[in-house]
Amino acid sequence: MFLGLLLNAQSGRVGIKTTNPKETLDVNGTTYTNSLYLRNPGEPTMTGGSFMATSENALQVYDPNLESSGLFNYLKLSLTGVSGTGITDYDTKIDANNFLVVVHNYAFKMNDGSTNVALDYGDNGTNDNRQGSPDVVAFKSNGTWHIRSRFTNSRFIALTSANPARVYNNFTVDLYLMAYKRLITKQNINESTTDLGGTNGSAKTISKPSGF
């Protein structure tokens, strides 16, 4: 056994319970250890890093610089020159079959960077102390993720000291998105539709996803 171990070590590979190791260390059996140390496994930070993930029977390091292998991507999308009606349908071109996109946060500003933005409910030009509900979502359409960012029944307005005091154009919308890569198929949860039947939903539930 020691002779075989020595010969394999000289070839750059060590096998345990195998005479034909496929990797630097090839263990044909169950391993037990108190500690497992990985050389430079990567620690995700603001400046980049690597992510660990399972794929079939292997533990792999994914390069975050490769879009096809990142577990998730944090994106800031800034849309300028937005009218007072907001954004109805913006195509991000992100593949809906391979990614799940979530709007993490958002902000409405003027194109000059100021945040002096208000809402005009009903587009009536008066300050009636009312505003619509935010309608900021990511949705799938024709195989890609789209963005809607507006307020229902309201228009964006910019309060200025000049006359007229309300401006209805030239806004900036900052969107902070999380794009999750669909890597581990057994963890993916299928979309679910449940009819509440006019009730408050307290007696309704979806089936537990496989693997949970």
Side-chain angles (χ1 to χ4, degrees):
M1 182 182 71
F2 289 110
L3 179 59
L5 189 65
L6 177 60
L7 291 175
N8 286 327
Q10 289 177 341
S11 66
R13 296 177 182 175
V14 175
I16 299 177
K17 294 184 66 175
T18 175
T19 58
N20 186 25
K22 304 298 183 183
E23 299 293 340
T24 304
L25 175 62
D26 190 341
V27 179
N28 182 20
T30 303
T31 61
Y32 177 82
T33 180
N34 289 331
S35 300
L36 178 63
Y37 295 92
L38 303 178
R39 177 182 295 173
N40 191 26
E43 297 179 1
T45 65
M46 293 297 293
T47 58
S50 301
F51 297 90
M52 304 299 296
T54 57
S55 177
E56 297 180 353
N57 296 324
L59 188 64
Q60 300 178 1
V61 179
Y62 286 92
D63 185 352
N65 294 319
L66 301 177
E67 181 185 35
S68 62
S69 64
L71 292 178
F72 64 87
N73 299 276
Y74 187 74
L75 312 172
K76 179 184 178 183
L77 175 63
S78 293
L79 302 176
T80 61
V82 178
S83 71
T85 57
I87 301 162
T88 302
D89 187 345
Y90 177 82
D91 188 357
T92 68
K93 303 297 184 181
I94 299 175
D95 188 352
N97 294 319
N98 293 319
F99 289 90
L100 172 65
V101 173
V102 177
V103 179
H104 177 65
N105 211 336
Y106 59 87
F108 299 99
K109 302 184 297 185
M110 295 298 297
N111 271 5
D112 61 5
S114 71
T115 57
N116 197 14
V117 178
L119 295 174
D120 180 6
Y121 185 83
D123 190 18
N124 54 19
T126 62
N127 183 10
D128 47 18
N129 296 317
R130 300 173 64 189
Q131 67 180 44
S133 301
D135 182 20
V136 184
V137 296
F139 62 96
K140 292 187 288 186
S141 179
N142 297 322
T144 59
W145 284 98
H146 292 234
I147 296 294
R148 184 166 60 247
S149 184
R150 61 187 182 181
F151 278 77
T152 59
N153 300 320
S154 296
R155 287 173 61 99
F156 303 131
I157 57 175
L159 303 179
T160 66
S161 57
N163 291 320
R166 295 173 180 243
V167 180
Y168 290 94
N169 55 23
N170 223 25
F171 295 94
T172 292
V173 178
D174 287 338
L175 297 158
Y176 302 87
L177 310 177
M178 296 295 291
Y180 296 90
K181 176 70 175 176
R182 298 185 185 273
L183 277 174
I184 309 173
T185 56
K186 72 176 181 179
Q187 294 292 344
N188 287 343
I189 304 174
N190 293 329
E191 294 182 2
S192 177
T193 300
T194 302
D195 184 2
L196 298 184
T199 69
N200 63 6
S202 60
K204 297 289 185 177
T205 184
I206 64 173
S207 300
K208 184 174 70 173
S210 176
F212 287 82

